[in-house]
PDB file of all heavy atoms in Angstrom:
ATOM      1  N   LYS A 511      -7.973  10.864  -6.930  1.00 83.00           N
ATOM      2  CA  LYS A 511      -7.487  10.116  -8.098  1.00 83.00           C
ATOM      3  C   LYS A 511      -6.032   9.708  -7.958  1.00 83.00           C
ATOM      4  O   LYS A 511      -5.263   9.694  -8.932  1.00 83.00           O
ATOM      5  CB  LYS A 511      -7.697  10.931  -9.379  1.00 83.00           C
ATOM      6  CG  LYS A 511      -9.166  11.223  -9.670  1.00 83.00           C
ATOM      7  CD  LYS A 511      -9.338  12.021 -10.949  1.00 83.00           C
ATOM      8  CE  LYS A 511     -10.815  12.313 -11.223  1.00 83.00           C
ATOM      9  NZ  LYS A 511     -10.997  13.095 -12.473  1.00 83.00           N
ATOM     10  N   ARG A 512      -5.642   9.400  -6.706  1.00 83.00           N
ATOM     11  CA  ARG A 512      -4.304   8.885  -6.445  1.00 83.00           C
ATOM     12  C   ARG A 512      -4.427   7.394  -6.130  1.00 83.00           C
ATOM     13  O   ARG A 512      -5.284   6.979  -5.345  1.00 83.00           O
ATOM     14  CB  ARG A 512      -3.656   9.608  -5.276  1.00 83.00           C
ATOM     15  CG  ARG A 512      -3.503  11.096  -5.490  1.00 83.00           C
ATOM     16  CD  ARG A 512      -2.361  11.437  -6.420  1.00 83.00           C
ATOM     17  NE  ARG A 512      -1.070  11.047  -5.861  1.00 83.00           N
ATOM     18  CZ  ARG A 512       0.092  11.247  -6.461  1.00 83.00           C
ATOM     19  NH1 ARG A 512       0.129  11.805  -7.654  1.00 83.00           N
ATOM     20  NH2 ARG A 512       1.222  10.884  -5.886  1.00 83.00           N
ATOM     21  N   LYS A 513      -3.589   6.573  -6.739  1.00 84.00           N
ATOM     22  CA  LYS A 513      -3.669   5.134  -6.519  1.00 84.00           C
ATOM     23  C   LYS A 513      -3.303   4.790  -5.075  1.00 84.00           C
ATOM     24  O   LYS A 513      -2.406   5.380  -4.486  1.00 84.00           O
ATOM     25  CB  LYS A 513      -2.699   4.410  -7.464  1.00 84.00           C
ATOM     26  CG  LYS A 513      -3.130   4.441  -8.923  1.00 84.00           C
ATOM     27  CD  LYS A 513      -2.149   3.640  -9.773  1.00 84.00           C
ATOM     28  CE  LYS A 513      -2.581   3.639 -11.227  1.00 84.00           C
ATOM     29  NZ  LYS A 513      -1.630   2.865 -12.072  1.00 84.00           N
ATOM     30  N   ILE A 514      -4.020   3.832  -4.528  1.00 87.00           N
ATOM     31  CA  ILE A 514      -3.734   3.347  -3.167  1.00 87.00           C
ATOM     32  C   ILE A 514      -2.856   2.110  -3.310  1.00 87.00           C
ATOM     33  O   ILE A 514      -3.312   1.063  -3.748  1.00 87.00           O
ATOM     34  CB  ILE A 514      -5.028   3.026  -2.405  1.00 87.00           C
ATOM     35  CG1 ILE A 514      -5.878   4.280  -2.244  1.00 87.00           C
ATOM     36  CG2 ILE A 514      -4.699   2.425  -1.040  1.00 87.00           C
ATOM     37  CD1 ILE A 514      -7.222   4.018  -1.579  1.00 87.00           C
ATOM     38  N   LEU A 515      -1.596   2.245  -2.943  1.00 82.00           N
ATOM     39  CA  LEU A 515      -0.640   1.128  -3.014  1.00 82.00           C
ATOM     40  C   LEU A 515      -0.468   0.553  -1.615  1.00 82.00           C
ATOM     41  O   LEU A 515      -0.071   1.267  -0.677  1.00 82.00           O
ATOM     42  CB  LEU A 515       0.693   1.620  -3.574  1.00 82.00           C
ATOM     43  CG  LEU A 515       0.635   2.279  -4.953  1.00 82.00           C
ATOM     44  CD1 LEU A 515       2.001   2.810  -5.353  1.00 82.00           C
ATOM     45  CD2 LEU A 515       0.115   1.285  -5.999  1.00 82.00           C
ATOM     46  N   LEU A 516      -0.750  -0.728  -1.466  1.00 85.00           N
ATOM     47  CA  LEU A 516      -0.715  -1.356  -0.145  1.00 85.00           C
ATOM     48  C   LEU A 516       0.697  -1.697   0.319  1.00 85.00           C
ATOM     49  O   LEU A 516       0.983  -1.687   1.517  1.00 85.00           O
ATOM     50  CB  LEU A 516      -1.587  -2.619  -0.154  1.00 85.00           C
ATOM     51  CG  LEU A 516      -3.082  -2.392  -0.394  1.00 85.00           C
ATOM     52  CD1 LEU A 516      -3.822  -3.726  -0.374  1.00 85.00           C
ATOM     53  CD2 LEU A 516      -3.671  -1.461   0.664  1.00 85.00           C
ATOM     54  N   LEU A 517       1.595  -2.016  -0.614  1.00 79.00           N
ATOM     55  CA  LEU A 517       2.947  -2.444  -0.226  1.00 79.00           C
ATOM     56  C   LEU A 517       3.695  -1.377   0.585  1.00 79.00           C
ATOM     57  O   LEU A 517       4.316  -1.705   1.601  1.00 79.00           O
ATOM     58  CB  LEU A 517       3.751  -2.843  -1.465  1.00 79.00           C
ATOM     59  CG  LEU A 517       5.168  -3.385  -1.190  1.00 79.00           C
ATOM     60  CD1 LEU A 517       5.098  -4.606  -0.277  1.00 79.00           C
ATOM     61  CD2 LEU A 517       5.874  -3.727  -2.497  1.00 79.00           C
ATOM     62  N   PRO A 518       3.657  -0.075   0.174  1.00 78.00           N
ATOM     63  CA  PRO A 518       4.331   0.933   0.997  1.00 78.00           C
ATOM     64  C   PRO A 518       3.773   1.008   2.413  1.00 78.00           C
ATOM     65  O   PRO A 518       4.546   1.162   3.377  1.00 78.00           O
ATOM     66  CB  PRO A 518       4.082   2.242   0.228  1.00 78.00           C
ATOM     67  CG  PRO A 518       3.869   1.818  -1.180  1.00 78.00           C
ATOM     68  CD  PRO A 518       3.143   0.513  -1.074  1.00 78.00           C
ATOM     69  N   HIS A 519       2.450   0.872   2.570  1.00 86.00           N
ATOM     70  CA  HIS A 519       1.849   0.899   3.894  1.00 86.00           C
ATOM     71  C   HIS A 519       2.279  -0.334   4.694  1.00 86.00           C
ATOM     72  O   HIS A 519       2.601  -0.232   5.888  1.00 86.00           O
ATOM     73  CB  HIS A 519       0.316   0.930   3.789  1.00 86.00           C
ATOM     74  CG  HIS A 519      -0.232   2.268   3.370  1.00 86.00           C
ATOM     75  ND1 HIS A 519      -0.366   3.317   4.250  1.00 86.00           N
ATOM     76  CD2 HIS A 519      -0.669   2.697   2.168  1.00 86.00           C
ATOM     77  CE1 HIS A 519      -0.873   4.349   3.600  1.00 86.00           C
ATOM     78  NE2 HIS A 519      -1.062   3.998   2.334  1.00 86.00           N
ATOM     79  N   LEU A 520       2.290  -1.483   4.028  1.00 86.00           N
ATOM     80  CA  LEU A 520       2.660  -2.725   4.705  1.00 86.00           C
ATOM     81  C   LEU A 520       4.113  -2.669   5.181  1.00 86.00           C
ATOM     82  O   LEU A 520       4.410  -3.028   6.333  1.00 86.00           O
ATOM     83  CB  LEU A 520       2.469  -3.911   3.761  1.00 86.00           C
ATOM     84  CG  LEU A 520       2.825  -5.302   4.325  1.00 86.00           C
ATOM     85  CD1 LEU A 520       1.961  -5.622   5.535  1.00 86.00           C
ATOM     86  CD2 LEU A 520       2.660  -6.374   3.248  1.00 86.00           C
ATOM     87  N   SER A 521       5.018  -2.210   4.319  1.00 81.00           N
ATOM     88  CA  SER A 521       6.425  -2.133   4.697  1.00 81.00           C
ATOM     89  C   SER A 521       6.627  -1.101   5.806  1.00 81.00           C
ATOM     90  O   SER A 521       7.456  -1.288   6.706  1.00 81.00           O
ATOM     91  CB  SER A 521       7.293  -1.785   3.486  1.00 81.00           C
ATOM     92  OG  SER A 521       6.941  -0.529   2.942  1.00 81.00           O
ATOM     93  N   LEU A 522       5.845  -0.031   5.757  1.00 83.00           N
ATOM     94  CA  LEU A 522       5.925   0.989   6.808  1.00 83.00           C
ATOM     95  C   LEU A 522       5.483   0.414   8.154  1.00 83.00           C
ATOM     96  O   LEU A 522       6.127   0.630   9.189  1.00 83.00           O
ATOM     97  CB  LEU A 522       5.042   2.186   6.432  1.00 83.00           C
ATOM     98  CG  LEU A 522       4.953   3.322   7.441  1.00 83.00           C
ATOM     99  CD1 LEU A 522       6.297   4.012   7.575  1.00 83.00           C
ATOM    100  CD2 LEU A 522       3.892   4.329   7.031  1.00 83.00           C
ATOM    101  N   TRP A 523       4.385  -0.330   8.140  1.00 89.00           N
ATOM    102  CA  TRP A 523       3.877  -0.948   9.374  1.00 89.00           C
ATOM    103  C   TRP A 523       4.907  -1.906   9.972  1.00 89.00           C
ATOM    104  O   TRP A 523       5.143  -1.899  11.181  1.00 89.00           O
ATOM    105  CB  TRP A 523       2.570  -1.670   9.087  1.00 89.00           C
ATOM    106  CG  TRP A 523       1.369  -0.780   9.162  1.00 89.00           C
ATOM    107  CD1 TRP A 523       1.086   0.293   8.381  1.00 89.00           C
ATOM    108  CD2 TRP A 523       0.299  -0.888  10.097  1.00 89.00           C
ATOM    109  NE1 TRP A 523      -0.091   0.861   8.753  1.00 89.00           N
ATOM    110  CE2 TRP A 523      -0.605   0.155   9.814  1.00 89.00           C
ATOM    111  CE3 TRP A 523       0.005  -1.769  11.134  1.00 89.00           C
ATOM    112  CZ2 TRP A 523      -1.775   0.357  10.531  1.00 89.00           C
ATOM    113  CZ3 TRP A 523      -1.164  -1.578  11.857  1.00 89.00           C
ATOM    114  CH2 TRP A 523      -2.032  -0.520  11.558  1.00 89.00           C
ATOM    115  N   ILE A 524       5.481  -2.748   9.125  1.00 86.00           N
ATOM    116  CA  ILE A 524       6.468  -3.722   9.605  1.00 86.00           C
ATOM    117  C   ILE A 524       7.659  -2.999  10.236  1.00 86.00           C
ATOM    118  O   ILE A 524       8.116  -3.344  11.332  1.00 86.00           O
ATOM    119  CB  ILE A 524       6.939  -4.644   8.456  1.00 86.00           C
ATOM    120  CG1 ILE A 524       5.773  -5.520   7.983  1.00 86.00           C
ATOM    121  CG2 ILE A 524       8.119  -5.502   8.894  1.00 86.00           C
ATOM    122  CD1 ILE A 524       6.083  -6.330   6.728  1.00 86.00           C
ATOM    123  N   PHE A 525       8.148  -1.980   9.546  1.00 82.00           N
ATOM    124  CA  PHE A 525       9.302  -1.235  10.032  1.00 82.00           C
ATOM    125  C   PHE A 525       9.006  -0.545  11.367  1.00 82.00           C
ATOM    126  O   PHE A 525       9.792  -0.636  12.317  1.00 82.00           O
ATOM    127  CB  PHE A 525       9.722  -0.200   8.992  1.00 82.00           C
ATOM    128  CG  PHE A 525      10.804   0.727   9.467  1.00 82.00           C
ATOM    129  CD1 PHE A 525      12.113   0.314   9.511  1.00 82.00           C
ATOM    130  CD2 PHE A 525      10.496   2.020   9.874  1.00 82.00           C
ATOM    131  CE1 PHE A 525      13.129   1.160   9.953  1.00 82.00           C
ATOM    132  CE2 PHE A 525      11.484   2.870  10.317  1.00 82.00           C
ATOM    133  CZ  PHE A 525      12.796   2.443  10.359  1.00 82.00           C
ATOM    134  N   VAL A 526       7.880   0.160  11.449  1.00 87.00           N
ATOM    135  CA  VAL A 526       7.536   0.925  12.649  1.00 87.00           C
ATOM    136  C   VAL A 526       7.305  -0.010  13.842  1.00 87.00           C
ATOM    137  O   VAL A 526       7.813   0.235  14.945  1.00 87.00           O
ATOM    138  CB  VAL A 526       6.295   1.791  12.401  1.00 87.00           C
ATOM    139  CG1 VAL A 526       5.797   2.420  13.712  1.00 87.00           C
ATOM    140  CG2 VAL A 526       6.601   2.879  11.383  1.00 87.00           C
ATOM    141  N   ILE A 527       6.529  -1.058  13.648  1.00 87.00           N
ATOM    142  CA  ILE A 527       6.223  -1.969  14.752  1.00 87.00           C
ATOM    143  C   ILE A 527       7.482  -2.661  15.264  1.00 87.00           C
ATOM    144  O   ILE A 527       7.702  -2.767  16.477  1.00 87.00           O
ATOM    145  CB  ILE A 527       5.154  -3.003  14.326  1.00 87.00           C
ATOM    146  CG1 ILE A 527       3.812  -2.286  14.124  1.00 87.00           C
ATOM    147  CG2 ILE A 527       5.002  -4.091  15.377  1.00 87.00           C
ATOM    148  CD1 ILE A 527       2.706  -3.176  13.576  1.00 87.00           C
ATOM    149  N   ILE A 528       8.321  -3.147  14.347  1.00 84.00           N
ATOM    150  CA  ILE A 528       9.566  -3.809  14.775  1.00 84.00           C
ATOM    151  C   ILE A 528      10.456  -2.828  15.526  1.00 84.00           C
ATOM    152  O   ILE A 528      11.073  -3.164  16.550  1.00 84.00           O
ATOM    153  CB  ILE A 528      10.304  -4.406  13.566  1.00 84.00           C
ATOM    154  CG1 ILE A 528       9.528  -5.603  13.008  1.00 84.00           C
ATOM    155  CG2 ILE A 528      11.718  -4.823  13.956  1.00 84.00           C
ATOM    156  CD1 ILE A 528      10.147  -6.227  11.786  1.00 84.00           C
ATOM    157  N   SER A 529      10.524  -1.573  15.058  1.00 82.00           N
ATOM    158  CA  SER A 529      11.337  -0.562  15.747  1.00 82.00           C
ATOM    159  C   SER A 529      10.846  -0.334  17.170  1.00 82.00           C
ATOM    160  O   SER A 529      11.645  -0.201  18.103  1.00 82.00           O
ATOM    161  CB  SER A 529      11.304   0.770  14.973  1.00 82.00           C
ATOM    162  OG  SER A 529      11.869   0.630  13.692  1.00 82.00           O
ATOM    163  N   CYS A 530       9.538  -0.307  17.343  1.00 85.00           N
ATOM    164  CA  CYS A 530       8.964  -0.088  18.677  1.00 85.00           C
ATOM    165  C   CYS A 530       9.145  -1.291  19.582  1.00 85.00           C
ATOM    166  O   CYS A 530       9.297  -1.151  20.802  1.00 85.00           O
ATOM    167  CB  CYS A 530       7.481   0.263  18.568  1.00 85.00           C
ATOM    168  SG  CYS A 530       7.159   1.895  17.827  1.00 85.00           S
ATOM    169  N   LEU A 531       9.152  -2.477  19.001  1.00 85.00           N
ATOM    170  CA  LEU A 531       9.294  -3.693  19.809  1.00 85.00           C
ATOM    171  C   LEU A 531      10.674  -3.808  20.442  1.00 85.00           C
ATOM    172  O   LEU A 531      10.857  -4.556  21.409  1.00 85.00           O
ATOM    173  CB  LEU A 531       9.020  -4.932  18.950  1.00 85.00           C
ATOM    174  CG  LEU A 531       7.568  -5.158  18.521  1.00 85.00           C
ATOM    175  CD1 LEU A 531       7.460  -6.391  17.642  1.00 85.00           C
ATOM    176  CD2 LEU A 531       6.660  -5.281  19.727  1.00 85.00           C
ATOM    177  N   PHE A 532      11.644  -3.052  19.924  1.00 82.00           N
ATOM    178  CA  PHE A 532      12.993  -3.078  20.498  1.00 82.00           C
ATOM    179  C   PHE A 532      13.030  -2.370  21.854  1.00 82.00           C
ATOM    180  O   PHE A 532      14.041  -2.443  22.554  1.00 82.00           O
ATOM    181  CB  PHE A 532      14.004  -2.437  19.545  1.00 82.00           C
ATOM    182  CG  PHE A 532      14.504  -3.369  18.484  1.00 82.00           C
ATOM    183  CD1 PHE A 532      14.063  -3.266  17.178  1.00 82.00           C
ATOM    184  CD2 PHE A 532      15.414  -4.372  18.799  1.00 82.00           C
ATOM    185  CE1 PHE A 532      14.529  -4.126  16.202  1.00 82.00           C
ATOM    186  CE2 PHE A 532      15.898  -5.235  17.814  1.00 82.00           C
ATOM    187  CZ  PHE A 532      15.442  -5.118  16.513  1.00 82.00           C
ATOM    188  N   ILE A 533      11.935  -1.674  22.188  1.00 81.00           N
ATOM    189  CA  ILE A 533      11.863  -1.000  23.488  1.00 81.00           C
ATOM    190  C   ILE A 533      10.719  -1.651  24.274  1.00 81.00           C
ATOM    191  O   ILE A 533       9.559  -1.247  24.163  1.00 81.00           O
ATOM    192  CB  ILE A 533      11.612   0.507  23.322  1.00 81.00           C
ATOM    193  CG1 ILE A 533      12.666   1.115  22.399  1.00 81.00           C
ATOM    194  CG2 ILE A 533      11.648   1.217  24.673  1.00 81.00           C
ATOM    195  CD1 ILE A 533      12.449   2.561  22.073  1.00 81.00           C
ATOM    196  N   PRO A 534      10.985  -2.713  25.042  1.00 81.00           N
ATOM    197  CA  PRO A 534       9.921  -3.446  25.765  1.00 81.00           C
ATOM    198  C   PRO A 534       9.143  -2.522  26.715  1.00 81.00           C
ATOM    199  O   PRO A 534       9.697  -1.630  27.338  1.00 81.00           O
ATOM    200  CB  PRO A 534      10.719  -4.498  26.558  1.00 81.00           C
ATOM    201  CG  PRO A 534      12.013  -4.624  25.834  1.00 81.00           C
ATOM    202  CD  PRO A 534      12.321  -3.257  25.303  1.00 81.00           C
ATOM    203  N   GLU A 535       7.843  -2.781  26.775  1.00 83.00           N
ATOM    204  CA  GLU A 535       6.980  -1.959  27.636  1.00 83.00           C
ATOM    205  C   GLU A 535       5.747  -2.781  28.023  1.00 83.00           C
ATOM    206  O   GLU A 535       5.025  -3.285  27.166  1.00 83.00           O
ATOM    207  CB  GLU A 535       6.557  -0.683  26.886  1.00 83.00           C
ATOM    208  CG  GLU A 535       5.647   0.232  27.691  1.00 83.00           C
ATOM    209  CD  GLU A 535       5.164   1.411  26.856  1.00 83.00           C
ATOM    210  OE1 GLU A 535       5.692   1.628  25.739  1.00 83.00           O
ATOM    211  OE2 GLU A 535       4.250   2.105  27.330  1.00 83.00           O
TER     212      GLU A 535
END
């Protein structure tokens, strides 16, 4: 019975992926 909020997940994904892209592989 906890609401599923998509915005926190979306912002987390953007942040994590961009952070990883700074290290080319």
Side-chain angles (χ1 to χ4, degrees):
K511 298 180 180 180
R512 300 284 295 181
K513 290 183 179 180
I514 298 176
L515 303 176
L516 296 180
L517 183 58
H519 286 281
L520 180 61
S521 62
L522 178 67
W523 274 63
I524 293 172
F525 173 78
V526 171
I527 291 175
I528 290 178
S529 297
C530 291
L531 289 178
F532 277 105
I533 306 175
E535 179 185 349

